[in-house]
Amino acid sequence: MKELTERIKKDGRVLNEDVLKVDRFLTHQVDPHLMAAIGTEFATLFADEGVTKVVTLESSGIAPAIFAAQAMNVPMIFARKTKSLTMNEELLTSSVYSFTKQQTNQISISKKFLNEDDRVLIIDDFLANGQAAKGLIELCQQAGASVVGVGIVIEKAFQPGHQLIVDMGVPVCSLARIKSLSENQVNFVEED
């Protein structure tokens, strides 16, 4: 997605060979116009999948997921990283290790929001090692829902997450694929 790659070039900051900071438009401050375009792109890419729910993980996945859900005219559900006092119903849970934060979170979604009739599109901000997407897929599988795809805003193609998700039998579609973050530069995978 040209608009996204141009924004990464303009406002992304390479912190090291594994970390790209995009807090000027995605992970802290959010550009709603860019998120709307991203949501529309995901809705177009997955238009034939019969999506009934969009699922993401708090917090940076929420902005692109809500715009995708709006464009598809379906509800968006976000998995919580911490259980609130009001979450007293039965929960679907999975463990997710964050390499960025160096911690494991028990993520959860209420069982009342997903069931075997749902066709789920998972949306997330980054795909690196694939642990967040894997955890979300596991939550959906616990509910008996079908995961029709994983939509990723920015994929670090040099890390194993893409293959992990494909090996789970779920297609992955990334709007920006990064080949490397070497020499303080963002190098994109050339698309055909």
Side-chain angles (χ1 to χ4, degrees):
M1 183 177 170
K2 187 173 175 39
E3 186 179 354
L4 175 60
T5 56
E6 291 302 317
R7 190 61 181 271
I8 293 168
K9 289 175 187 175
K10 177 182 174 231
D11 288 330
R13 287 186 29 234
V14 176
L15 299 185
N16 60 48
E17 291 189 353
D18 291 319
V19 180
L20 172 66
K21 193 168 186 175
V22 290
D23 62 346
R24 297 181 70 77
F25 61 93
L26 177 61
T27 60
H28 197 68
Q29 176 174 269
V30 175
D31 179 337
H33 300 289
L34 179 59
M35 292 307 114
I38 285 169
T40 300
E41 184 72 11
F42 282 132
T44 300
L45 291 168
F46 291 96
D48 297 332
E49 297 299 330
V51 173
T52 62
K53 303 268 174 72
V54 172
V55 172
T56 193
L57 181 61
E58 68 174 343
S59 65
S60 296
I62 292 175
I66 194 69
F67 280 101
Q70 180 183 35
M72 299 177 111
N73 198 30
V74 299
M76 185 275 289
I77 305 163
F78 64 90
R80 293 180 177 264
K81 292 180 184 174
T82 57
K83 184 180 171 189
S84 74
L85 293 175
T86 61
M87 288 184 76
N88 55 6
E89 62 273 342
E90 291 186 61
L91 299 175
L92 305 165
T93 61
S94 183
S95 293
V96 172
Y97 180 74
S98 169
F99 288 88
T100 308
K101 295 184 174 110
Q102 298 287 300
Q103 67 184 29
T104 299
N105 290 301
Q106 188 78 8
I107 64 170
S108 58
I109 292 175
S110 172
K111 285 184 179 181
K112 69 183 174 188
F113 295 124
L114 283 174
N115 63 55
E116 63 277 354
D117 296 327
D118 284 315
R119 295 181 56 78
V120 174
L121 172 60
I122 292 171
I123 300 286
D124 207 3
D125 59 339
F126 272 95
L127 178 62
N129 291 293
Q131 296 305 299
K134 177 179 178 278
L136 291 170
I137 291 168
E138 289 170 351
L139 288 181
C140 294
Q141 289 172 337
Q142 288 173 34
S146 300
V147 178
V148 300
V150 173
I152 299 296
V153 179
I154 301 169
E155 176 187 335
K156 296 178 193 173
F158 57 92
Q159 292 184 317
H162 186 107
Q163 193 61 50
L164 174 72
I165 303 311
V166 169
D167 288 347
M168 292 179 78
V170 178
V172 178
C173 183
S174 302
L175 301 184
R177 298 186 72 226
I178 296 173
K179 181 178 179 179
S180 72
L181 296 171
S182 60
E183 298 178 17
N184 220 23
Q185 292 285 338
V186 178
N187 302 296
F188 292 96
V189 173
E190 297 299 321
E191 301 297 332
D192 296 330

